[in-house]
Amino acid sequence: MAKPRIFVSSTYYDLKHIRNALEDFICSMGYESVLFESGDIPFHHDVALTESCYGEVDKCHMLVLIVGGRYGSSAESTPEHGTADDLNAMYEMFNSVTKKEYERARDRNIPIFIFVEKGVRTEYETYKSNRDNKTICYAHVDSVNVFRLLDDILRQPANNFVREFDKFADIAHWLRDQWAGL
């Protein structure tokens, strides 16, 4: 029997400690982790780097999506969005690489396990009450696009369960229980 391949999708710099722990956890379960920083994604010379990531999602059995306070880099097919210091840029809509990886898994009906930092999830409730107020500076996110991603996830008819986390142990405990039930 083949080992399940688990694609880990998140922004990198703010969540690298979670990604490192998740890679070790996945391997300890006897599964195969797929993370770009570990060299698990073969990059092809004739396509954009991001396309290699999206293509690798197709070869995986599950995706673990970790949502923190950063929305992430703009996908190459979308315009650049400015700096995080610019309040107008915070409200400009664009697709991030992480969002596109999530959409790829969703479109292929791959099981997705979604975790959101507790502060981000709490602040999402404030955002929902103030969607049209473009003067708010949020403490836990660099862009309201993080909240728009959560809107998208939560409006899906399936594969949309979101679990909050404070620390990696919250993620490991939940995944262990979920994967045992598969």
Side-chain angles (χ1 to χ4, degrees):
M1 177 188 258
K3 291 197 283 189
R5 296 186 81 227
I6 316 296
F7 192 98
V8 177
S9 180
S10 75
T11 53
Y12 176 70
Y13 291 107
D14 60 328
L15 295 169
K16 63 183 165 184
H17 62 291
I18 297 290
R19 293 174 65 85
N20 290 337
L22 190 52
E23 180 177 29
D24 291 342
F25 172 78
I26 291 169
C27 292
S28 76
M29 296 291 292
Y31 300 165
E32 182 181 345
S33 62
V34 178
L35 293 95
F36 83 92
E37 67 269 24
S38 296
D40 300 327
I41 298 171
F43 293 106
H44 305 284
H45 72 283
D46 56 343
V47 297
L49 295 175
T50 53
E51 290 302 319
S52 296
C53 291
Y54 309 146
E56 201 63 27
V57 171
D58 297 344
K59 300 174 188 169
C60 290
H61 300 100
M62 292 178 250
L63 181 129
V64 175
L65 175 63
I66 311 295
V67 179
R70 292 183 44 104
Y71 184 59
S73 300
S74 178
E76 290 181 2
S77 61
T78 60
E80 286 303 315
H81 59 279
T83 66
D85 295 333
D86 181 359
L87 188 58
N88 290 328
M90 178 186 196
Y91 283 90
E92 188 174 326
M93 182 58 188
F94 70 95
N95 289 319
S96 70
V97 173
T98 303
K99 179 182 180 196
K100 300 284 279 179
E101 290 168 347
Y102 156 74
E103 289 174 338
R104 185 75 166 237
R106 184 191 68 205
D107 292 347
R108 283 155 180 73
N109 204 26
I110 296 169
I112 304 170
F113 299 89
I114 305 163
F115 298 91
V116 178
E117 281 183 328
K118 188 174 256 179
V120 172
R121 184 65 170 100
T122 301
E123 199 165 60
Y124 174 65
E125 297 304 317
T126 303
Y127 166 77
K128 289 190 323 185
S129 298
N130 295 282
R131 286 181 196 278
D132 297 326
N133 185 342
K134 293 186 173 28
T135 62
I136 295 176
C137 290
Y138 293 97
H140 293 279
V141 301
D142 67 350
S143 171
V144 294
N145 288 316
V146 172
F147 301 138
R148 291 174 179 152
L149 173 60
L150 289 174
D151 280 342
D152 184 38
I153 290 167
L154 294 170
R155 88 172 135 253
Q156 297 305 311
N159 216 1
N160 66 350
F161 185 78
V162 173
R163 184 84 176 172
E164 292 178 8
F165 74 94
D166 267 328
K167 56 193 177 304
F168 176 73
D170 300 334
I171 295 171
H173 177 74
W174 183 254
L175 285 177
R176 187 176 288 112
D177 289 348
Q178 291 298 304
W179 291 348
L182 293 178

